[in-house]
């Protein structure tokens, strides 16, 4: 049995309910989806900048079972919330087919990235999955940079390196590629004849101004991440500024703010971001379109949707909490025990890592944060690796060394 | 003569543009441009060498695991766990790390390569040969004439039958689309398996200098789940992925080698591998070395198969296999400047041994430079790295020789007269005589039906089988795709050995999972060792995309004083060094573009592009196909 679109929405609604959303708000989520009914879906333009594609790769492994219970809310309770009777959503004709192909129907009530791509969003541009390439893609960018589809959401993966900013090296020169002389650290396309060149920071500014909202996925797009970190140059080159990123790389929000673009930006940090955090944020956005304030009034100090980053890695939900509680500390890598002495940053890192595991490695009943069995939630600490703080501003510079080797 | 810019080269990792000069419909020169610089080599300065394992995985989110392992080997070398290049097992005194750590490191790297292999074919390459569903993000398509008729969109999306259904109506297009969707789930399952030992995926958290952070008891407890997931993956590869890749050449013969002679996108024909996967006997499951595919007498040829040869060849101070004597990286045509402190490291042609280089200094305004990629060379020779390189270095590909004679398990895909369902070897002497069709015991019914339905009669399916069985190793785009698929299958056998549920272990190897299962409980996964003196060295791994090396120097506190990465796509995507009218002076991707046909057909995109109106463009899918066959990773290449 394949899931239906309504069931998918139900699952999203269930999560929203579990994190404190009212029945009215759940209905507004359903309405948001209904407003895209009849095959129309929210358009998404996804751009890659100073990045590694890790967040896209992570999203490709999106997989959620829709059975079981969530945050202690059994599925049957959702029926009581009024969702069961909701029939305002039309299943798209393609949907059941793709879900069934996935694993021969062996996992009922589940959704993966194919469901996302086919049913939930209209992904207009994404370098790594789209059919377009070369001139076909460059011309598309040229068109869209001045005439974007209405109401689209811009997703940015990767830090923004302002083209004219030299960064620590003080290099503000230009370079030649094809027919063009350009100033860039990151270029994402050029038409066949060289007449148009798409430099990344300029494109983010142009599309950011036209978008209904911007989602910054990953640590780099959120806060600058690795491209934004500052090397400890023990022997300096002449003119090298140790207080700056090498290429002036920053997160999307500060970049757009500096350019005077007021489109709201929501961060989904993580290195990489867990697909679930992204989906939760998208759900938040869909509710926002019906119930203004739901998302934008719930942004934490680090620009994240607070319901997607509600707790710290170190909590009673950590798979190694039992060790912590009885004072059993790992003394070296490979030991049993709490990892605090090996450099674990779990106490100061907000994320769902300990509540909702990675890579479909969750508590057996599909539950979400209900007394997870120790060792059943997949995250770094389960494999004996200390939390490295990758969802926090200031990562990586403020969080090294990642592993204290003893 | 005209020139065309192809940018973005999409469905790869990162930002690549290629400019081709075309004369008479044939590419006469090419320039590959890497378009993003972040500065990773400098990020690492002043940090603990062990942190390079985490840092360098952020070079690339598509292939972080091999960077993590290479950095681990590099840290091992700098901290005294190994002499360099690859870390073998050891007893806890002197060199080496625990055998359990060697196996877990191997398992993560091998299955990650398998994941990359699947992702590359289905989700990156396939849309250049197979039209996707008629909706974004797969539309707009290139001009229909660029796709084989059997692989054009138009049929309804595949029905709800799973692969074992008896639906004989599925067309080849439907079968391939169904396989594309299923491959999304299969690649995810590799992540689920690896996350058991990595903490999470795509990035691996459990690599550490001296071993792994995973506890042996937990690791052995998780083995059944790991094996079960990887068995599903192997079954998918055997039953769907490999047969589709093998059949692709039949549908696109103009992109294949021509009975062993050079085909479309042939490239350099010279290959390099660093070797990979040390086993319990200190042999390398993937050999290292250099081979000139068309000249067995090339004086640069050499092979490295075990621990002793790693030392006598790669780690030697001189000789044909010496890294120190042969490896250089040039910045002559790259947007970099020689840093003040590196004046002595570089020669007059701006080439240096990377271990001696202290900084990577960008200079965006530089005459004659056209890319952020550097130019590594082996003994002054431009080489190709990657799966096809490894297939040649390991002898699974022998130029102009039948694949049926050299690839383990290859003939199992086709049956013989009167016995079409039997697995096993085929008498290659009987080729062209006894071949009737697909081995239906081996290949998924959905794919079989698709092949039978190419022409609706099944005659084409027999022709496909004959094509597959008569294939020889050559140099072309299709050889690259086949090399990757067949190697992926071989990797599953090294991973699982007799743990294969299919019984697919044609070379009868011992699986890493079997070795891990046999290690005595209570054995260590990590040896303690703290820095006491300055260190220097390199680590090397065969990543999915080819030969990957990191080189580092550390001070007495174990902090990094220099770090350089020599990455597969840096080899393949490197700019020309020397006279650009000589093909052999170009990097592998540029060389593969040169001499290939390029029609530059004008097209108009339809309104499925999401925009109100269509727009005019140039069809440049041939260049995309050449570049994509290398599985380029530009974030890696430039770092």
């Amino acid at each position: 049995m394949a899931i239906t679109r309504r069931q998918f929405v139900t699952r999203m609604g269930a999560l929203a309910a579990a994190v404190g959303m009212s029945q009215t708000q759940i209905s507004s989520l359903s309405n948001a989806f209904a407003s895209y009914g009849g095959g129309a879906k929210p358009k998404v333009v996804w751009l890659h900048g100073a990045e590694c594609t890790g967040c896209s790769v992570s999203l490709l492994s999106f997989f959620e079972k829709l059975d079981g219970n969530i945050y202690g809310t059994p599925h049957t309770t959702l029926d009581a919330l009024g969702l069961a009777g909701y029939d305002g959503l039309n299943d798209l004709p393609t949907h059941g087919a793709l879900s069934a192909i996935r694993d021969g129907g062996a996992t009922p009530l589940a959704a993966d990235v194919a469901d996302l791509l086919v049913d939930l969003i209209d992904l207009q541009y994404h370098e790594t999955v789209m059919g377009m390439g070369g001139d076909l893609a460059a011309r598309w960018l040229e068109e869209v940079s001045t005439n974007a589809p209405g109401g689209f959401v811009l997703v940015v993966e990767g830090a923004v390196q302002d083209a004219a900013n030299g960064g620590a090296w003080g290099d503000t020169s230009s370079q030649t590629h094809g027919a063009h002389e350009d100033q860039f650290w990151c270029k994402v396309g050029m038409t066949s004849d060289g007449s148009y060149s798409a430099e990344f920071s300029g494109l983010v500014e142009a599309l950011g101004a036209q978008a209904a909202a911007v989602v910054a996925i990953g640590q780099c797009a959120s806060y600058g991440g690795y491209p934004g970190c500052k090397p400890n140059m023990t022997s300096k080159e002449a003119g090298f500024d140790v207080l700056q990123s090498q290429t002036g790389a920053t997160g999307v929000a500060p970049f757009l703010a500096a350019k005077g673009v007021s489109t709201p930006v929501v961060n989904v940090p993580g290195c990489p971001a867990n697909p679930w955090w992204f989906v939760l944020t998208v759900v938040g956005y869909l509710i926002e379109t019906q119930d203004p304030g739901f998302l934008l009034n719930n942004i934490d100090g680090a620009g994240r949707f607070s319901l997607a980053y509600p707790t710290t890695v170190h909590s009673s939900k950590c798979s190694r909490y039992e060790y912590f509680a009885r004072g059993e500390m790992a003394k070296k890598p490979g030991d049993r025990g709490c990892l605090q002495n090996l450099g674990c940053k779990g106490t100061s890192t907000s994320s769902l890592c300990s509540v909702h595991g990675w890579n479909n490695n969750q508590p057996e009943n599909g539950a979400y944060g209900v007394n997870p069995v120790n060792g059943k939630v997949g995250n770094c600490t389960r494999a004996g690796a200390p939390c490295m703080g990758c969802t926090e501003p200031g990562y990586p510079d403020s969080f090294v060394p990642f592993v204290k080797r003893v | 003569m005209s020139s065309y810019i192809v940018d973005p080269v999409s469905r790869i990792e990162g930002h690549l543009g290629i400019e081709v000069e075309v004369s008479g419909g044939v590419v006469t020169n090419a320039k590959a441009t890497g378009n993003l610089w972040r500065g990773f080599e400098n990020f690492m300065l002043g940090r603990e060498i062990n942190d390079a394992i985490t840092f360098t995985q952020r070079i690339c989110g598509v292939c972080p695991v091999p960077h993590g392992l290479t950095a681990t080997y590099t840290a091992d070398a700098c901290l005294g766990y190994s002499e360099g290049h690859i870390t073998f097992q050891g007893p806890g005194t002197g060199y080496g790390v625990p055998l359990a750590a060697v196996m877990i490191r191997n398992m993560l790297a091998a299955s990650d390569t398998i994941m990359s292999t699947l992702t590359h074919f289905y989700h990156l390459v396939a849309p250049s040969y197979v039209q996707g569903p008629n909706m974004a993000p797969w539309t707009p398509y290139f001009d229909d004439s660029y796709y084989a008729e059997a692989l054009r969109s138009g049929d309804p999306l595949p029905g709800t039958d799973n692969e074992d259904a008896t639906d004989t109506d599925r067309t080849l297009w439907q079968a391939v689309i169904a396989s594309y969707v299923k491959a999304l789930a299969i690649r995810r399952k590799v992540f689920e398996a690896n996350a058991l030992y990595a903490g999470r995926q795509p990035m691996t958290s459990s690599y550490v200098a001296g071993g792994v952070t995973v506890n042996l008891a937990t690791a052995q407890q998780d083995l059944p789940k790991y094996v079960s997931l990887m068995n599903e993956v192997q079954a998918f590869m055997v039953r769907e992925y490999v047969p589709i890749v093998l059949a692709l050449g039949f549908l696109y013969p103009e992109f294949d080698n021509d009975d062993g002679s050079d085909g479309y996108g042939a490239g350099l024909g010279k290959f390099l591998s660093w070797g990979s996967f040390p086993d319990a006997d200190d042999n390398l499951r993937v050999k290292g070395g250099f081979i000139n595919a068309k000249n067995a007498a090339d004086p640069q040829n050499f092979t490295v198969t075990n621990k002793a040869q790693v030392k006598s060849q790669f780690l030697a101070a001189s000789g044909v296999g010496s890294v120190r004597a042969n490896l250089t990286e040039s910045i002559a045509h790259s947007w970099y400047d020689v840093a003040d402190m590196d004046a002595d490291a570089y020669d007059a042609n701006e080439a240096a041994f990377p271990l001696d280089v202290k900084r990577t200094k960008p200079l965006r305004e530089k005459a004659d430079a056209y890319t952020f990629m550097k130019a590594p060379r082996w003994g002054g020779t431009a080489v190709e790295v990657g799966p096809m390189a490894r297939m040649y270095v390991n002898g699974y590909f022998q130029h102009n020789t039948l694949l049926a004679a050299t690839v383990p398990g290859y003939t199992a895909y086709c049956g013989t007269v009167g016995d079409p369902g039997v697995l096993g070897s085929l008498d290659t002497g009987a080729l062209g005589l006894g071949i009737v069709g697909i081995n239906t015991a081996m290949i998924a019914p959905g794919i079989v039906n698709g092949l039978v339905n190419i022409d609706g009669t099944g005659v084409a399916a027999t022709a496909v089988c004959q094509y597959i069985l008569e294939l020889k190793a050559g140099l072309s785009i299709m050889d690259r795709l086949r090399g990757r698929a067949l190697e992926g299958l071989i990797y599953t056998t090294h991973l699982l050995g007799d743990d294969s549920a299919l019984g697919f272990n044609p070379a009868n190897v011992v699986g890493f999972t079997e070795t891990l299962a046999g290690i005595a409980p209570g054995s260590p996964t990590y040896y303690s060792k703290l820095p006491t003196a300055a260190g220097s060295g390199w680590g090397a791994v065969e990543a999915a995309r080819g030969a990957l090396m990191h080189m580092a120097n550390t001070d007495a506190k174990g902090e990094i004083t220099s770090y350089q990465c020599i990455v597969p796509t840096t080899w393949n995507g490197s700019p020309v060094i020397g006279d650009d009218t000589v093909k052999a002076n170009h990097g592998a991707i540029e060389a593969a573009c040169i001499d290939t046909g390029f029609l530059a057909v004008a097209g108009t995109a339809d309104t499925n592009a999401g925009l109100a109106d269509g727009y005019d463009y140039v069809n440049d899918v041939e260049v995309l196909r050449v570049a994509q066959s290398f599985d380029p990773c530009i974030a890696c290449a430039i770092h």
Side-chain angles (χ1 to χ4, degrees):
Chain A
M1 174 185 166
I3 69 159
T4 64
R5 186 167 166 158
R6 187 181 66 78
Q7 286 166 322
F8 189 96
V9 175
T10 305
R11 170 76 176 193
M12 303 301 141
L15 269 161
V19 297
M21 194 169 82
S22 71
Q23 188 176 342
T24 319
Q25 288 165 325
I26 294 172
S27 301
S28 72
L29 174 64
S30 301
N31 290 337
F33 277 93
S35 73
Y36 290 111
K41 299 167 281 185
K43 291 190 190 308
V44 173
V45 176
W46 189 303
L47 294 181
H48 292 85
E51 51 85 51
C52 72
T53 317
C55 292
S56 287
V57 170
S58 184
L59 184 63
L60 269 186
S61 62
F62 172 68
F63 183 74
E64 284 299 323
K65 297 187 204 107
L66 283 87
D67 54 358
N69 57 28
I70 305 158
Y71 268 136
T73 308
H75 202 64
T76 48
T77 308
L78 300 172
D79 296 341
L81 283 170
L83 280 165
Y86 189 83
D87 59 1
L89 304 164
N90 297 319
D91 289 348
L92 294 178
T94 54
H95 186 100
L98 294 183
S99 293
I101 289 162
R102 180 180 49 239
D103 52 8
T107 311
L109 294 173
D112 75 359
V113 68
D115 302 302
L116 272 180
L117 288 180
V118 172
D119 275 4
L120 290 170
I121 60 172
D122 180 357
L123 186 60
Q124 293 275 302
Y125 192 95
H126 186 298
E127 269 181 20
T128 325
V129 299
M130 68 187 182
M132 290 188 283
D135 198 40
L136 183 56
R139 299 279 176 193
W140 192 93
L141 286 175
E142 183 181 19
E143 291 279 331
V144 84
S145 62
T146 53
N147 184 23
F152 78 104
V153 175
L154 175 67
V155 179
V156 179
E157 182 174 354
V160 187
Q161 302 154 311
D162 198 336
N165 182 351
W169 291 101
D171 178 357
T172 54
S173 59
S174 56
Q175 60 222 2
T176 308
H177 173 205
H180 249 264
E181 186 163 301
D182 268 332
Q183 212 165 34
F184 69 84
W185 293 110
C186 178
K187 185 156 67 58
V188 296
M190 184 183 273
T191 52
S192 186
D193 57 6
S195 60
Y196 167 74
S197 169
E199 179 276 319
F200 180 67
S201 67
L203 200 59
V204 169
E205 186 181 347
L207 288 181
Q210 299 180 73
V214 179
V215 176
I217 188 167
Q219 164 67 228
C220 298
S222 296
Y223 314 123
Y226 281 84
C229 77
K230 298 162 191 68
N232 181 8
M233 302 280 263
T234 45
S235 173
K236 283 182 279 184
E237 285 290 308
F240 187 89
D241 179 356
V242 292
L243 298 177
Q244 275 200 60
S245 143
Q246 291 186 82
T247 55
T250 63
V252 178
F255 170 77
L256 287 179
K259 298 291 179 187
V261 173
S262 58
T263 310
V265 180
V266 183
N267 295 331
V268 188
C271 192
N274 185 305
W276 191 232
W277 312 339
F278 176 75
V279 171
L280 277 177
T281 303
V282 170
V283 168
Y285 169 73
L286 287 165
I287 298 173
E288 171 80 24
T289 63
Q290 303 293 315
D291 183 6
F294 179 76
L295 175 70
L296 297 178
N297 292 343
N298 283 297
I299 299 295
D300 70 13
R304 305 170 290 210
F305 181 34
S306 56
L307 303 187
Y309 295 82
T311 184
T312 57
V313 171
H314 175 87
S315 72
S316 59
K317 303 289 195 293
C318 174
S319 58
R320 289 176 181 252
Y321 188 79
E322 258 182 30
Y323 299 127
F324 170 80
R326 60 173 185 259
E328 185 178 344
M329 297 291 168
K331 296 186 181 67
K332 64 176 189 335
D335 282 356
R336 278 163 40 124
C338 171
L339 301 171
Q340 280 193 352
N341 293 347
L342 301 185
C344 186
K345 314 296 190 303
T347 53
S348 53
T349 303
S350 294
S351 104
L352 282 168
C353 285
S354 293
V355 180
H356 181 275
W358 286 71
N359 305 108
N360 194 26
N361 198 358
Q362 286 132 23
E364 292 300 308
N365 63 355
Y368 196 100
V370 188
N371 302 318
V373 182
N374 276 341
K376 287 292 184 188
V377 176
N379 62 17
C380 297
T381 61
R382 184 188 183 280
C387 171
M388 65 178 102
C390 70
T391 59
E392 292 297 322
Y395 173 90
D397 281 342
S398 308
F399 293 83
V400 292
F402 296 128
V403 183
K404 283 187 191 156
R405 290 176 65 255
V406 287
Chain B
M1 184 160 61
S2 324
S3 87
Y4 298 90
I5 294 159
V6 183
D7 184 0
V9 174
S10 57
R11 281 178 280 106
I12 62 166
E13 199 301 322
H15 306 289
L16 174 68
I18 296 178
E19 184 180 3
V20 290
E21 286 175 15
V22 179
S23 182
V26 173
V27 175
T28 55
N29 205 343
K31 282 181 181 175
T33 298
N35 277 323
L36 161 68
W37 191 72
R38 291 169 295 170
F40 262 86
E41 290 166 333
N42 299 333
F43 293 158
M44 254 87 78
L45 299 171
R47 306 188 197 267
E48 289 186 15
I49 183 71
N50 195 73
D51 281 347
I53 298 166
T54 303
F55 267 73
T56 58
Q57 288 191 69
R58 273 66 188 177
I59 287 174
C60 177
V62 179
C63 41
V65 175
H67 278 291
L69 183 53
T70 309
T72 304
Y73 286 164
T74 305
D76 284 344
C78 289
L79 295 171
Y81 288 104
S82 86
E83 294 179 88
H85 205 84
I86 287 170
T87 309
F88 291 86
Q89 62 177 321
T93 54
Y95 293 125
V97 296
L99 180 61
V102 173
M103 287 304 126
I104 291 170
R105 288 171 172 190
N106 282 355
M107 285 161 58
L108 290 171
S111 47
D112 186 74
T113 298
I114 290 163
M115 183 282 300
S116 254
T117 292
L118 291 168
T119 309
H120 174 256
F121 178 72
Y122 282 100
H123 308 119
L124 304 183
V125 162
S128 292
Y129 299 88
V130 184
Q131 291 183 334
N134 188 16
M135 65 177 80
W138 299 283
T139 53
Y141 305 125
F142 292 97
D143 192 86
D144 281 354
S145 61
Y146 284 86
Y147 305 91
E149 211 170 326
L151 296 174
R152 288 181 202 159
S153 172
D155 301 320
L157 279 169
T160 56
D161 314 285
N162 60 52
E163 59 146 281
D164 290 319
T166 53
D167 178 5
T168 55
D169 293 337
R170 197 171 267 182
T171 67
L172 186 62
W173 182 80
Q174 288 173 324
V176 172
I177 295 298
S179 200
Y180 173 104
V181 173
K182 193 168 178 197
L184 283 169
I186 294 295
R187 66 176 298 291
R188 166 174 60 75
K189 288 183 182 184
V190 182
F191 275 179
E192 291 175 15
N194 266 3
L196 296 169
Y197 298 108
R200 60 165 179 171
Q201 291 276 276
M203 276 68 169
T204 292
S205 305
S206 60
Y207 284 151
V208 64
V212 292
T213 63
V214 182
N215 174 282
L216 181 66
T218 315
Q220 289 180 331
Q221 199 183 322
D222 285 335
L223 262 175
K225 187 171 179 187
Y226 180 89
V227 167
S228 143
L229 283 163
M230 291 312 296
N231 264 316
E232 257 187 273
V233 174
Q234 186 191 44
F236 176 78
M237 294 172 77
V238 168
R239 293 165 62 74
E240 303 198 27
Y241 166 49
V242 174
I244 289 175
V245 173
L246 294 178
L248 196 66
F250 175 81
L251 295 161
Y252 287 92
E254 67 275 31
F255 291 96
D256 210 336
N257 76 63
D258 184 8
D259 197 28
S261 59
D262 286 3
Y264 198 96
L268 297 165
K270 294 183 179 180
F271 300 109
L272 181 72
S273 161
W274 293 140
S276 239
F277 303 128
D279 66 12
D281 301 321
D282 290 344
N283 290 318
L284 294 175
R285 290 297 178 88
V286 172
K287 295 172 190 167
F290 175 100
I291 190 163
N292 180 338
K294 292 196 278 193
N295 181 7
D298 190 317
Q300 283 190 284
N301 291 348
F302 73 98
T303 312
V304 172
T305 62
N306 57 33
K307 183 180 176 181
Q309 290 173 352
V310 166
K311 185 165 184 180
S312 66
Q313 299 264 29
F314 284 134
L315 295 171
S318 62
V320 67
S322 161
V323 171
R324 164 68 74 172
N326 289 285
L327 177 66
T328 56
E329 207 171 32
S330 166
I331 57 171
H333 294 292
S334 312
W335 287 313
Y336 300 109
D337 197 11
V338 175
D340 300 346
M341 63 180 66
D342 285 326
D344 294 341
Y346 283 95
D347 67 15
N349 297 318
E350 295 191 288
F353 180 56
L355 188 60
D356 299 336
V357 172
K358 298 185 183 66
R359 296 290 180 271
T360 298
K361 181 180 183 181
L363 177 62
R364 291 187 283 179
E365 196 162 66
K366 179 171 172 179
D368 296 333
Y370 61 90
T371 176
F372 280 122
M373 285 185 268
K374 298 178 183 176
R377 293 292 184 267
W378 182 258
T381 305
V383 298
E384 174 173 342
V385 300
M388 182 160 79
R390 290 191 289 265
M391 291 298 275
Y392 272 107
V393 169
N394 283 272
Y396 297 127
F397 276 9
Q398 292 171 24
H399 192 258
N400 202 17
T401 301
L402 287 169
L403 297 181
T406 55
V407 179
Y410 186 80
T411 54
Y413 282 96
C414 297
T416 55
V417 168
D419 200 6
V422 169
L423 288 165
S425 63
L426 189 82
D427 178 8
T428 54
L431 281 174
L433 299 173
I435 304 144
V436 293
I438 303 163
N439 185 340
T440 52
M442 187 98 171
I443 303 178
I447 306 299
V448 172
N449 295 339
L451 290 170
V452 169
N453 289 332
I454 293 179
D455 61 356
T457 65
V459 173
T462 305
V464 171
C465 278
Q466 181 140 357
Y467 187 88
I468 291 172
L469 271 172
E470 292 179 352
L471 271 170
K472 294 176 177 174
L475 299 171
S476 71
I477 290 180
M478 289 298 154
D479 284 288
R480 251 173 232 118
L481 300 185
R482 274 197 296 272
R484 189 172 278 105
L486 294 168
E487 182 192 56
L489 211 51
I490 292 169
Y491 274 28
T492 64
T493 66
H494 288 304
L495 193 57
L496 297 169
D498 287 340
D499 281 344
S500 163
L502 284 181
F504 187 79
N505 189 6
N508 198 25
V509 295
V510 178
F512 303 143
T513 54
E514 295 174 292
T515 302
L516 180 62
I519 292 173
S523 298
T525 55
Y526 170 81
Y527 294 142
S528 289
K529 195 176 278 191
L530 293 176
T532 53
S536 180
W538 65 82
V541 166
E542 277 300 315
R545 291 162 179 79
L548 171 62
M549 181 174 278
H550 293 179
M551 295 186 146
N553 289 288
T554 54
D555 62 18
K557 292 183 291 181
E559 290 176 359
I560 295 165
T561 55
S562 82
Y563 206 98
Q564 293 285 309
C565 308
I566 306 94
V567 182
T569 303
T570 322
W571 288 98
N572 289 339
S574 67
V576 69
I577 297 295
D579 181 356
D580 76 345
T581 63
V582 178
K583 190 162 149 179
N585 287 343
H586 288 265
I589 292 175
E590 291 181 356
C593 288
I594 293 169
D595 295 339
T596 58
F598 180 64
L599 301 174
V601 173
T604 301
D606 64 28
T607 50
N608 275 333
L611 302 164
D613 302 309
Y615 54 92
D616 297 330
Y617 70 99
V618 175
N619 280 284
D620 43 24
V621 67
E622 299 107 311
V623 176
L624 296 179
R625 284 174 181 163
V626 173
Q628 286 164 350
S629 72
F630 288 87
D631 197 5
C633 181
I634 309 305
C636 279
I638 299 171
H639 41 271

